Amino acid sequence: ALSDLGKKEEAIERYLMALEHDPGSGGAYSNWGVSLRDLGKYKEAIEKHEKANSLRPELPEVHYNWGVTLHSQKEPEKAIEKYKQAIKRRVNYPKAWAAWGVALSDLGQLDQAVDKYEVALSYDQRSYEAWYNWGVSLGKAGQHEGAVKKFETAVELEPSRFDAQYSLGVELS
């Protein structure tokens, strides 16, 4: 919650406190990695993701978070491998399917990306990430009408999200 509120440093302090009580908490290491990524400390973030994976390789979130960090470093191919690992551990993980779609879109593979967004939505029709990222992919491909429809759905699901509101405005202008 602290990390979601933009309090990354305080979140890291809490993860350290949690690790004092449970040094084997893969979740704490994984989330510590997320906070470090959000602070732009990618090398340190990767180290935490590796540690989380060594402790709790069965947790899909460990692989998903690691994938997002790799993708943030412009390494979509490596990110895809982590998303696949997350999905191997929990097939009905819409965020991982949608993230895989984003990585494919970044590689110019729109048709394959759409397939992943559709799989994400087959597990959760209310997956904001799938609708929003599908809109981004369509917008990049010049398919503006389709992008508008996807962004409208994303806005309907989460009206307070700035990214979908902004992207919808761009596509409509």
Side-chain angles (χ1 to χ4, degrees), residues 101-102 105 110 113-114 117 132-142 151:
V102 174
S105 178
L110 181 61
V114 168
Y117 301 136
Y132 172 74
N133 290 316
W134 194 349
V136 170
S137 295
L138 291 173
K140 286 181 186 176
F151 289 138

Side-chain angles (χ1 to χ4, degrees), residues 39-86:
L39 291 169
K41 298 177 179 181
Y42 297 110
K43 183 179 179 191
E44 292 174 65
I46 293 294
E47 291 170 1
K48 300 310 174 217
H49 294 310
E50 289 171 345
K51 179 68 173 179
N53 187 54
S54 74
L55 294 168
R56 298 292 306 273
E58 76 280 5
L59 291 178
E61 294 81 7
V62 166
H63 301 278
Y64 169 78
N65 289 337
W66 194 351
V68 173
T69 298
L70 290 166
H71 200 168
S72 297
Q73 292 184 277
K74 309 288 188 235
E75 296 188 58
E77 295 94 347
K78 289 181 181 178
I80 287 170
E81 292 309 311
K82 297 303 175 190
Y83 301 142
K84 287 180 181 178
Q85 290 297 314

